[in-house]
């Protein structure tokens, strides 16, 4: 309710209850509820002109309060009522509260004007002036004409202000060009300097002209015609020098002005296309900086062009400045400007303040440009040297071997490739890996072996990027080797698959074949499907696993495979010899004095390689011979030698007995090894599996690998759970009863070669020590043992225990393998070096991969060790050719032998026609069809 504001009449009626009581006591009736009526604009205007009294609401006899402003708070100004906040409706005041002082209402015109203004300004409060104090009489309200005029005038002014603010806010805001005081001061200083310099030059020129005119007027004999001509020339050149001065000043000031006013320039795009509500206007300075940044990033010679432009600009501006402040001509001024830029000491001869200031400025700019030029040249040289050092330059080679990736097999692989290229004087091997070039070169230098003329070039890059592949001339390489990474098998094979896809994307095509090293046999079909005919795969786990099984069943076979796979001794070669056409294979077998034929590549059968064919096979045109030789240029066919065929001794093949084999550790391809053992072993054999994998999980993994555990007929699985590096767990096993023990590189440690080898080595030592305690021998009870423990005696005991059972260890690092081989506590150690040998052999000739696949398989031809009693009698004198011919009666090809008195086998012996005496204790290495 309104306050009294000092009105005595309002104070007399401040108690509504007392007023109501006195009113009823005087015989009056209770006041009735009546409708209110609002003063509209027309009535107010009419009353102001005196045509009719204004219409007001009769509410009480009390005097109206003093004029005041009524403020109504609303959430949205557009929702406010038209009467300024007072609801335009019929309302009733409760009569029992007594007489109510009438609340003055605003004029409807002012309310109508206030509504759009509030809506446009967005304010949440509206303030409207209420009528001033009115003259009120009992039963009648009278408003003076002056008050009405003042009210209408105020409303009109407020309406004009509101409408003007609304229209100005609805229009787009104009840019406000505001310049700070420093900028204005800079402009004024420049203008004053220009005017001062121009006026000074004008004064000097006028003084000179006056002096010359005086001389001419006095008709001085010292004045020559040349001086008069110079006077006329100088008079004519005043305007040109002034223009040059203004040009220089404007050229220097304009960039600063543009830089200062850049943000205030109107948006060019907005002139043709207005900005939407969601589009943000980017300042022009930022757009220009962005364009300059893009230009310098896209164009490699942008810095050089910018330096050239700065030099030309400095010479031009300096020349104009010198022309403006000196007496030199424009060409001479430009030449002086160039000399000041090229040599900062040339400005010392200048005379006068103007020329000296300009020359010093030009020399300072020249020193800056020279420093920038030195920086650019230094950066260019450093960048080029860094590209050479980091291996970013392109390799321009052809017929080279390209190795993609880096692993622990790289050292053995490079060694085998160097040996293979020895016969041609060395080759070129390029290594592309995601490592620093210097680090790769340092690691290769640590291998410490002779490359025999082979050059190893390292480049840093990713095999997954086509630009990096082109950098190493991938399309001109005669062979590409993709090494498996040191990550787990799935990640390594996935990466190899991506590399194969990248190689398929080379537009120029591939000249050579691709040898891909895989870790899991299950991923081989997918890689071959993607790569096509150019892809040859070597599964590292599969090669080592099959070799371990063959070496466990035939002790000593691992050394044979190492000699065949490596390039240091005899290896497989395939070549065509036209002089052998129409010859039977039994005759071609003894036609090479320096090689051993092992098969035929049949041209009529799509190039299929037949290993150990029948003697009746006749060589045809296009057929090639598969041989074991020292090198590809060290053998050729010769005349047929004389041989003594004879007859084979009647020695039947020994029957196969059940064997007992122990697997220590768990490999990811252990299911494939079990299937190979199922094919090789006789019925009744046992396979003990000792590892930390729970038995139920083992059965699940074997079932997922495709093994039907109930369908195994030759072997029986015995599961034992334990840790192979804990002695008490190993002592619970009957280690002395096993025929062969295979120590596998555990799957849980396949990511770390060092940890895997440490675990395998510890298991080997523990098993040998336990066996030496359980299998005592006479030598073990010698005086050395009782005299006290010594390292040599302990090694000797373990070596004697090795005679009782065969232990094949899988050591991944070749350095650890050498340590174990020297101690001879294990029959043989298989490592990644054999995989490197296989990769190198397939890289030299992709056809050899078919030969290795058949020899490693459980079916078909295989490498075997046979006793001498199969082919000869005791103390019989025969040549190697004679033994080769006799072995053909057993459908076998003899490729070498091992004498009793030697430790190593001889593959592809020399002097095959030489007759010697053989012993039944000798053994022969043969290729048999496995029947």
């Amino acid at each position: 309710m309104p306050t009294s504001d000092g009105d005595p009449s309002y104070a007399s009626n401040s108690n509504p209850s007392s007023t109501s009581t006195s009113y009823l006591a005087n015989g009056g009736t209770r006041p009735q509820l009546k409708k209110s009526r609002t003063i509209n604009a027309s009535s107010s205007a009419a009353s102001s002109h005196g045509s009719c009294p204004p219409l007001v609401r009769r509410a009480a006899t009390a005097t109206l309060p003093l004029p005041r402003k009524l403020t109504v708070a609303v959430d949205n100004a557009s929702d406010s009522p038209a009467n300024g906040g007072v609801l335009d409706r019929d309302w009733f005041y409760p009569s029992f509260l007594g007489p109510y002082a009438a609340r003055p209402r605003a004029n409807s015109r002012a309310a109508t004007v206030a509504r759009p203004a509030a809506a446009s300004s967005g304010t949440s409060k509206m303030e409207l002036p209420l009528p001033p104090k009115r003259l009120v009489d009992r039963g009648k309200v009278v408003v003076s004409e002056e008050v009405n005029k003042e009210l209408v005038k105020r409303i009109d002014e407020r309406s004009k202000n509101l409408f003007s603010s609304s229209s100005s806010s609805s229009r787009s805001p104009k840019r406000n060009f505001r310049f700070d005081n420093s900028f204005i001061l800079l402009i004024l200083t420049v203008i004053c300097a220009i005017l001062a310099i121009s006026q000074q030059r004008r004064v000097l020129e006028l003084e000179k002209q006056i002096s010359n005119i005086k001389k001419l007027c006095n008709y001085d004999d010292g004045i020559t015609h040349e001086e008069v001509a110079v006077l006329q020339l100088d008079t004519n050149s005043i305007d040109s020098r002034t223009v040059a001065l203004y040009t220089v000043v404007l050229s220097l000031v304009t960039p600063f002005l543009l830089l200062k006013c850049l943000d205030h320039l109107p948006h060019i795009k907005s002139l043709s296309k207005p900005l939407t509500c969601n589009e943000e206007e980017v300042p022009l300075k930022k757009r220009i900086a962005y364009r300059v940044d893009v230009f310098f990033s896209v164009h490699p010679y942008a810095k050089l062009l910018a330096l050239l432009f700065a030099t030309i600009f400095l010479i031009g501006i300096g020349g104009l400045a010198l022309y403006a402040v000196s007496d030199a001509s424009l060409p001479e001024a430009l030449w002086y400007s160039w000399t000041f830029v090229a040599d900062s000491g040339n400005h010392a001869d200048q005379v006068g303040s103007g020329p000296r200031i300009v020359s010093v400025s030009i020399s300072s700019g020249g020193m800056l440009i020279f420093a920038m030029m030195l920086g650019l040249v230094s950066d260019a040289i450093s960048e080029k040297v860094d590209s050479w050092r980091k291996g970013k330059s392109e390799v321009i080679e052809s017929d080279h071997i390209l190795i993609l990736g880096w692993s622990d097999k790289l050292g053995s692989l490079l060694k085998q490739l160097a040996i293979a290229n020895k016969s041609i004087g060395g080759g070129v091997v390029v290594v592309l890996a995601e490592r620093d070039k210097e680090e790769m070169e340092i690691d290769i230098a640590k291998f410490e072996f002779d490359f025999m003329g082979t050059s190893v070039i390292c480049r840093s890059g990713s095999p997954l990027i086509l630009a990096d592949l082109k950098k190493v001339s991938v399309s001109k390489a005669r062979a590409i080797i993709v090494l498996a990474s040191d990550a787990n098998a799935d990640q390594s094979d996935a990466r190899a698959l991506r590399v194969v896809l990248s190689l398929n994307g080379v537009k120029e095509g591939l000249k050579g074949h691709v040898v891909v090293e895989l870790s899991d046999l299950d991923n081989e079909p997918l890689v071959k499907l993607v790569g096509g005919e150019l892809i040859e795969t070597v599964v590292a786990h599969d090669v080592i696993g099959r070799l371990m099984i063959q070496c466990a069943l035939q002790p000593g076979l691992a050394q044979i495979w190492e000699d065949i796979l490596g390039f240091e001794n005899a290896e497989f070669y395939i070549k065509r010899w036209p002089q052998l056409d129409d010859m039977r294979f039994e005759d071609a077998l003894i036609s090479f004095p320096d090689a051993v034929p092992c098969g035929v590549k049949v041209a009529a059968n799509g190039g299929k390689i037949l290993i150990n064919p029948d003697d009746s096979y006749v060589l045809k045109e296009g057929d090639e011979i598969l041989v074991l030789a020292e090198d590809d240029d060290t053998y050729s066919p010769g005349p047929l030698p004389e041989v003594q065929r004879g007859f084979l001794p009647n020695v039947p093949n020994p029957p196969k007995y059940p064997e007992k084999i122990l697997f220590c550790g768990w490999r990811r391809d252990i299911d494939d090894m079990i299937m190979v053992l199922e094919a090789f072993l006789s019925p009744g054999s046992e396979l003990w599996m000792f590892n930390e994998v729970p038995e139920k999980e083992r059965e699940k993994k074997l079932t997922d690998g495709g093994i039907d555990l109930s369908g195994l007929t030759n072997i029986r699985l015995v599961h034992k759970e334990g840790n192979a590096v804990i002695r008490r767990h190993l002592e619970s096993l009957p280690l002395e009863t096993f025929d062969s023990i295979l120590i596998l590189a555990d799957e849980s440690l396949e990511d770390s070669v060092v940890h895997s080898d440490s675990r395998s080595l510890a298991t080997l030592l523990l098993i040998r020590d336990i066996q030496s305690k359980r299998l005592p021998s006479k030598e073990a009870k010698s005086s050395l043992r009782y005299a006290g423990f010594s390292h040599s005696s302990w090694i000797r005991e373990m070596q004697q225990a090795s005679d009782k059972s065969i232990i094949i260890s899988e050591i991944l690092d070749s350095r650890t393998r050498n340590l174990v081989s020297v101690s001879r506590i294990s029959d043989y150690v298989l490592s990644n070096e054999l995989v490197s040998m296989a990769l190198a052999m397939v890289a030299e000739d992709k056809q050899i991969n078919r030969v290795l696949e058949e020899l490693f398989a459980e079916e078909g031809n295989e490498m075997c060790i046979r006793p001498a009693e199969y082919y000869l009698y005791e103390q019989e004198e025969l040549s190697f050719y004679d033994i080769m011919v006799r072995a053909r009666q057993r459908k076998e090809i003899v490729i070498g032998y091992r004498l009793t008195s030697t430790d190593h086998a001889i593959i592809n012996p020399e002097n095959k026609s030489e007759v010697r005496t053989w012993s039944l204790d000798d053994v022969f290495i043969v290729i048999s069809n496995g029947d």
Side-chain angles (χ1 to χ4, degrees), residues 186-206:
L186 176 63
I187 295 177
L188 293 178
T189 303
V190 171
I191 294 175
C192 293
I194 295 174
L195 293 177
I197 294 173
S198 62
Q199 293 301 324
Q200 183 181 6
R201 287 187 55 83
R202 185 64 177 171
V203 169
L204 293 177
E205 291 172 355
L206 290 176

Side-chain angles (χ1 to χ4, degrees), residues 238-509:
I238 293 176
D239 295 336
S240 62
R241 295 183 184 276
T242 304
V243 171
L245 178 63
Y246 286 136
T247 302
V248 171
V249 174
L250 289 177
S251 300
L252 295 178
V253 174
T254 300
F256 295 99
L257 293 176
L258 292 178
L259 184 63
K260 195 67 178 179
C261 304
L262 211 54
D263 292 336
H264 303 288
L265 293 178
H267 195 343
I268 301 176
K269 185 177 179 180
S270 62
L271 297 177
S272 58
K273 182 179 179 181
L275 295 175
T276 60
C277 57
N278 296 328
E279 185 178 357
E280 182 181 359
E281 182 180 1
V282 181
L284 184 60
K285 184 185 296 184
K286 290 186 177 180
R287 294 203 306 271
I288 294 177
Y290 170 72
R291 295 300 180 186
V292 173
D293 187 13
V294 171
F295 178 77
F296 277 89
S297 301
V298 173
H299 300 84
Y301 299 102
K303 295 181 180 179
L304 185 61
L305 293 177
L307 181 62
L308 180 61
F309 174 77
T311 305
I312 296 175
F313 179 79
L314 179 61
I315 294 173
I317 294 297
L320 288 177
L322 283 176
Y323 174 70
V325 299
S326 65
D327 297 334
S329 62
L330 182 60
E332 291 179 353
L334 292 175
W335 174 253
Y336 289 152
S337 177
W338 157 247
T339 58
F340 296 158
V341 171
D343 188 0
S344 58
N346 289 335
H347 68 278
D349 298 334
Q350 295 296 315
V351 178
S353 59
R356 287 180 177 178
I357 294 175
V358 174
S359 61
V360 169
S361 302
I362 298 174
S363 299
S364 301
M367 288 187 290
L368 180 61
I369 290 178
F370 185 72
M372 294 173 59
M373 182 180 65
L374 287 180
L376 290 179
V377 173
S378 177
D379 291 343
I381 295 176
S382 300
E383 184 178 355
K384 195 63 178 178
V385 172
D386 289 341
S387 66
W388 292 340
R389 181 175 56 85
K390 295 181 180 180
K392 296 181 180 180
S393 59
E394 184 178 358
V395 176
I396 305 177
E397 295 287 348
S398 60
D399 292 334
H400 58 284
I401 295 180
L402 176 61
I403 300 176
L404 303 179
W406 187 280
S407 69
D408 55 340
K409 308 180 188 67
L410 184 64
S412 302
L413 181 59
L414 291 177
K415 180 180 179 181
Q416 295 300 322
L417 293 176
I419 297 173
N421 295 326
K422 179 182 178 181
S423 59
I424 58 176
V428 178
V429 179
V430 181
V431 181
L432 176 65
E434 298 181 30
R435 298 185 60 192
D436 189 70
K437 177 177 177 290
E438 292 182 343
E439 295 180 0
M440 291 189 287
E441 292 176 348
I442 292 174
D443 291 342
I444 292 175
K446 292 179 182 179
F447 293 147
E448 296 181 354
F449 57 79
D450 187 12
F451 285 98
M452 306 174 190
T454 298
S455 301
V456 180
I457 302 174
C458 298
R459 287 293 180 268
S460 179
S462 175
L464 303 177
I465 302 176
L466 291 178
D468 292 341
L469 291 176
K470 293 180 180 179
K471 183 174 61 177
V472 293
S473 301
V474 63
S475 59
K476 299 179 182 179
R478 61 185 175 93
I480 303 172
I481 302 176
V482 181
L483 293 179
S485 60
D486 295 333
N488 60 60
D490 294 333
Q491 295 180 356
S492 176
D493 291 350
R495 182 181 180 278
L497 180 62
R498 295 176 61 190
V499 173
V500 172
L501 290 174
S502 299
L503 293 175
N504 290 338
V506 178
K507 297 181 180 180
E508 296 82 2

Side-chain angles (χ1 to χ4, degrees), residues 583-733:
M583 182 181 291
R584 293 166 57 92
F585 181 76
E586 62 177 351
D587 296 332
L589 185 64
I590 57 176
S591 298
F592 292 89
D594 300 316
V596 177
C598 301
V600 179
K601 180 181 177 182
V602 183
N605 196 11
K608 182 179 180 180
I609 298 177
L610 294 178
I611 301 177
N612 190 15
D614 295 334
D615 290 340
S616 60
Y617 180 82
V618 179
L619 298 176
K620 298 173 181 160
E621 184 179 359
D623 291 348
E624 301 179 22
I625 306 297
L626 171 67
V627 300
L628 273 171
E630 181 70 21
D631 208 339
D632 57 350
D633 57 350
T634 58
Y635 72 98
S636 61
L640 293 177
E642 296 181 1
V643 296
Q644 181 182 352
R645 296 184 180 274
F647 297 95
L648 286 176
N650 189 12
V651 178
N653 291 329
K656 291 184 177 181
Y657 295 98
E659 297 191 24
K660 192 175 183 180
I661 300 177
L662 172 64
F663 278 0
C664 287
W666 183 274
R667 286 167 53 104
R668 62 169 43 249
D669 60 344
I670 200 170
D671 51 345
D672 298 327
M673 298 179 66
I674 293 175
M675 295 305 297
V676 174
L677 284 176
E678 171 70 13
F680 280 132
L681 297 180
S682 59
S685 301
E686 292 183 358
L687 175 60
W688 288 52
M689 304 179 66
F690 179 70
N691 49 69
E692 298 182 73
V693 181
E695 183 176 351
K696 293 184 179 180
E697 187 176 349
R698 296 182 198 177
E699 295 178 355
K700 183 179 181 301
K701 288 185 176 181
L702 293 177
T703 303
D704 295 341
I707 295 182
D708 184 8
L709 299 179
S710 60
L712 298 177
T713 58
N714 294 337
I715 60 175
R716 181 176 67 89
L717 299 181
V718 180
H719 296 282
K720 294 292 181 180
E721 185 175 349
N723 194 336
V725 296
I726 299 179
R727 187 182 184 90
R728 68 174 183 274
H729 291 178
L730 290 174
E731 289 178 346
S732 63
L733 301 175

Side-chain angles (χ1 to χ4, degrees), residues 68 155 260 290 325 348 371 396 507 556 573 586 622 641 688 822 842 846 851 880 898:
R68 65 185 62 82
I155 293 175
K260 195 67 178 179
Y290 170 72
V325 299
I396 305 177
K507 297 181 180 180
Y573 294 101
E586 62 177 351
W688 288 52
V822 170
V842 178
K846 59 180 292 187
V851 179
F880 189 76
R898 177 180 177 181

Side-chain angles (χ1 to χ4, degrees), residues 85-252:
V86 181
L87 299 177
D88 189 10
R89 62 178 178 83
D90 295 337
W91 61 279
F92 302 91
Y93 182 77
S95 60
F96 59 85
L97 294 179
Y100 174 72
R103 185 187 300 272
R105 294 196 176 187
N107 193 291
S108 60
R109 179 183 176 186
T112 307
V113 172
R115 182 169 183 176
S120 62
S121 60
T123 57
S124 60
K125 292 186 178 182
M126 297 183 299
E127 297 183 359
L128 294 176
L130 295 179
K133 185 176 180 181
R134 301 174 181 176
L135 302 177
V136 182
D137 195 4
R138 292 183 181 273
K140 183 178 179 182
V141 179
V142 180
V143 182
S144 62
E145 184 178 357
E146 292 79 4
V147 172
N148 284 331
K149 289 182 179 180
E150 183 179 358
L151 178 62
V152 172
K153 184 177 180 181
R154 285 188 177 182
I155 293 175
D156 291 340
E157 292 177 355
R158 178 59 62 89
S159 301
K160 292 179 181 179
N161 294 334
L162 292 177
F163 278 119
S164 61
S165 62
S166 175
S167 60
S168 62
S169 61
S170 61
R171 293 192 299 268
S172 59
K174 297 182 180 179
R175 296 186 179 271
N176 187 14
F177 292 92
R178 294 180 300 176
F179 301 95
D180 51 3
N181 297 330
S182 60
F183 182 67
I184 297 176
L185 183 60
L186 176 63
I187 295 177
L188 293 178
T189 303
V190 171
I191 294 175
C192 293
I194 295 174
L195 293 177
I197 294 173
S198 62
Q199 293 301 324
Q200 183 181 6
R201 287 187 55 83
R202 185 64 177 171
V203 169
L204 293 177
E205 291 172 355
L206 290 176
E207 290 179 353
K208 189 175 181 180
Q209 291 180 10
I210 292 172
S211 175
N212 293 333
I213 291 173
K214 288 181 178 180
K215 292 180 180 181
L216 290 176
C217 292
N218 294 331
Y219 194 70
D220 192 354
D221 296 336
I223 300 299
T224 61
H225 296 284
E226 289 79 3
E227 292 180 351
V228 175
V230 169
L231 174 62
Q232 295 176 355
L233 181 61
D234 291 340
T235 305
N236 296 330
S237 63
I238 293 176
D239 295 336
S240 62
R241 295 183 184 276
T242 304
V243 171
L245 178 63
Y246 286 136
T247 302
V248 171
V249 174
L250 289 177
S251 300
L252 295 178

